[in-house]
Amino acid sequence: MPEAIRTGAAPSRRSRPRPSPPTADGVPAGIPAGAAGLGRRRLGVPALALMIIAASAPLTVVAGGVTSNYAVTGLLGIPLSFLVLGAVLMVFAVGYTAMSRWVSNAGAFYSYISLGLARWAGVGSAWVALVAYNAMQIGIYGMFGFVLSSFLAALGLTVPWWAAALAGWAVVGFLGINQVDLSAKVLGVVVALEFLIVLVYDVVALGAAPEGLSAASLEPSALFSAGVGAALVFSIAAFMGCESGAIYNEEVKDPRTTARRATLVAIVVIALFYAFSAWAMAVGEGDSAVVARSAELGPDLMFVFLEGRVAGWFIVLGNLLFMTSVLAALIAFHNVIARYLFSMGREGVLPPVLARTNRVHAPVAGSLVQSAVALAVIVVFAVAGAGHELGALFPVLTLFTWLTNMGALGLVALMMLTSFAVVGFFRRHAHTEGAWTALLAPLLAGAAMVVLLVMILANFGVLIGAEGGVLSWLLPALVLAAGVLGSLWAIALRRRRPDVYSRIGAGAAR
């Protein structure tokens, strides 16, 4: 990374920043002893784009997220919501991915906010990121446990949701301590099959079209009315993971282009694919019936629709891929968390042992810590759910719903701060970016994220099914508390260990 950025000096606007040389093991001078590097030059644009898309779980979003959005908001314009949010995230990606060309760090938000706003703010944001990503990842175990348990029950096997969740936990943990390209290969196969299932559904739905090929669901009036806030909040969850491209910037083939291209590709694919599939669902059920049918059938709507229209084995395959879709999201978020812990351990902000990697350069310490945290939370919810009145839906309506919405709140807050951090970074350091990239796009994205954050907070009780309850303010408060505690920890480091504080956000050398 540029020497001026690493040292904290402010170069002249006309000076060209020069890379700082790495040490023999690829770690910059000044990084705490015991740190190691991640695997280098393994990921290309296709592999990284697949990992980003996998985090959004395409089949899960279409079968579960889109139907839930129709049912809860009662709005027909759900397809348009994906296009609107895709445009917002494309603007966000302009500055965010431009910064990835100048800063290479596995803790992207953490590093960017540290270098663009303040080091104490960066550490606070890192703690928010750890809470948000862990909440997102661990919450998804609730959905995975429910889906796998239900599938086995259809085969005559009674397996509690928590045992099914632990099976997924073991797979995720194993892949987390292996080479990142192994995870990419597994995710690539899963995502390709998910797209196939959804595309077949889309084609069949458009062929059915009981009310004709209507474009009413794409009209602005179908979205921008009462309930638009909740609709956008539901849909933003489908894009969670789009920000993770820069996190792998130390492991890509070309740090200056791979993350940028993969992120832009992923955002475009996700926005267009989900918009098209949500439109196909409206056409397949009929504009006048899709909201009621979604409320009646929920995630089963897609598979009920396909019954009698495709071969039985295809529906079974679809159900299997529904499970692997959730598993793919678990793997993607696990990898992100492990790299955040690695980055913070490498810089001494957290115990240096977290920067340990294994012989294949996987962040093994961070991976094991994340697995341990996930195991503890699964056990707590398994005990709490024993004999609960919600029955089989307990892990979905509690663990999944509570934690994933909490995670989405934290990640939108981080994207908001990062947008403003991009402006601060390019104002402080010499660069070759234009005004659109370094100033205008980040400011627009930051303003849009502020609006989204307010919408999430205003609708949080509705999202978790506890409107007016304690959880409607407690869960957001936990995210805020993580940021405050992290910032206070950084301020303490500034007084007690100024050498560590000065390196916050430095990351790896180019």
Side-chain angles (χ1 to χ4, degrees), residues 324-421:
T324 58
S325 172
V326 182
L327 184 64
L330 286 167
I331 294 169
F333 282 117
H334 174 90
N335 286 338
V336 168
I337 296 162
R339 281 154 180 78
Y340 255 92
L341 291 170
F342 166 87
S343 178
M344 297 178 71
R346 177 175 59 188
E347 295 182 2
V349 177
L350 291 180
V353 68
L354 292 172
R356 296 290 181 183
T357 58
N358 58 13
R359 61 182 180 82
V360 295
H361 301 287
V364 61
S367 178
L368 292 174
V369 167
Q370 201 285 321
S371 292
V373 173
L375 176 62
V377 176
I378 291 172
V379 169
V380 168
F381 275 82
V383 173
H388 198 277
E389 61 183 7
L390 292 176
L393 285 174
F394 173 82
V396 176
L397 298 178
T398 57
L399 179 58
F400 175 76
T401 301
W402 296 351
L403 268 65
T404 55
N405 280 293
M406 179 180 170
L409 168 65
L411 293 177
V412 170
L414 289 171
M415 285 192 282
M416 175 193 71
L417 289 174
T418 301
S419 296
F420 297 126

Side-chain angles (χ1 to χ4, degrees), residues 110-491:
Y110 155 62
S111 181
Y112 294 3
I113 293 171
S114 295
L115 298 174
L117 295 180
R119 291 182 174 90
W120 60 265
V123 176
S125 69
W127 285 38
V128 170
L130 287 175
V131 169
Y133 278 120
N134 271 290
M136 185 71 73
Q137 200 265 359
I138 298 170
I140 294 172
Y141 277 115
M143 176 62 77
F144 181 81
F146 169 78
V147 172
L148 179 55
S149 177
S150 298
F151 181 81
L152 294 175
L155 300 178
L157 300 174
T158 302
V159 177
W161 75 266
W162 54 265
L166 288 177
W169 172 85
V171 173
V172 172
F174 170 75
L175 291 175
I177 59 175
N178 278 278
Q179 290 178 346
V180 68
D181 54 342
L182 174 60
S183 291
K185 291 172 184 176
V186 172
L187 295 178
V189 173
V190 171
V191 170
L193 291 173
E194 287 183 57
F195 272 93
L196 175 63
I197 294 293
V198 177
L199 285 173
V200 169
Y201 165 77
D202 292 344
V203 171
V204 174
L206 294 176
E211 298 177 13
L213 293 175
S214 169
S217 60
L218 295 170
E219 296 176 359
S221 60
L223 175 64
F224 295 100
S225 59
V228 61
L232 291 173
V233 169
F234 267 106
S235 294
I236 192 64
F239 292 88
M240 293 297 99
C242 285
E243 77 292 345
S244 65
I247 291 173
Y248 295 94
N249 217 25
E250 296 179 39
E251 302 164 84
V252 297
K253 294 181 178 179
D254 185 351
R256 296 192 177 277
T257 61
T258 300
R260 183 181 183 87
R261 292 173 181 173
T263 299
L264 296 176
V265 167
I267 292 173
V268 171
V269 169
I270 288 172
L272 295 179
F273 181 71
Y274 290 158
F276 178 76
S277 297
W279 172 67
M281 185 176 289
V283 170
E285 299 294 334
D287 291 341
S288 65
V290 66
V291 170
R293 290 280 287 173
S294 295
E296 176 189 356
L297 298 172
D300 288 334
L301 184 147
M302 175 188 289
F303 301 108
V304 169
F305 177 86
L306 290 174
E307 287 179 0
R309 291 184 168 95
V310 297
W313 65 263
F314 187 83
I315 296 177
V316 173
L317 176 62
N319 279 284
L320 284 171
L321 287 172
F322 195 177
M323 288 184 290
T324 58
S325 172
V326 182
L327 184 64
L330 286 167
I331 294 169
F333 282 117
H334 174 90
N335 286 338
V336 168
I337 296 162
R339 281 154 180 78
Y340 255 92
L341 291 170
F342 166 87
S343 178
M344 297 178 71
R346 177 175 59 188
E347 295 182 2
V349 177
L350 291 180
V353 68
L354 292 172
R356 296 290 181 183
T357 58
N358 58 13
R359 61 182 180 82
V360 295
H361 301 287
V364 61
S367 178
L368 292 174
V369 167
Q370 201 285 321
S371 292
V373 173
L375 176 62
V377 176
I378 291 172
V379 169
V380 168
F381 275 82
V383 173
H388 198 277
E389 61 183 7
L390 292 176
L393 285 174
F394 173 82
V396 176
L397 298 178
T398 57
L399 179 58
F400 175 76
T401 301
W402 296 351
L403 268 65
T404 55
N405 280 293
M406 179 180 170
L409 168 65
L411 293 177
V412 170
L414 289 171
M415 285 192 282
M416 175 193 71
L417 289 174
T418 301
S419 296
F420 297 126
V422 171
V423 177
F425 175 83
F426 286 123
R427 284 179 64 84
R428 293 179 183 180
H429 303 288
H431 62 84
T432 56
E433 309 292 345
W436 167 249
T437 299
L439 178 63
L440 298 179
L443 286 178
L444 287 173
M449 293 300 170
V450 169
V451 173
L452 281 174
L453 187 62
V454 171
M455 287 181 176
I456 292 176
L457 290 171
N459 292 277
F460 199 81
V462 176
L463 295 174
I464 65 172
E467 194 170 8
V470 173
L471 289 176
S472 64
W473 62 264
L474 178 60
L475 295 180
L478 291 176
V479 176
L480 175 62
V484 172
L485 291 174
S487 298
L488 292 175
W489 171 250
I491 292 171

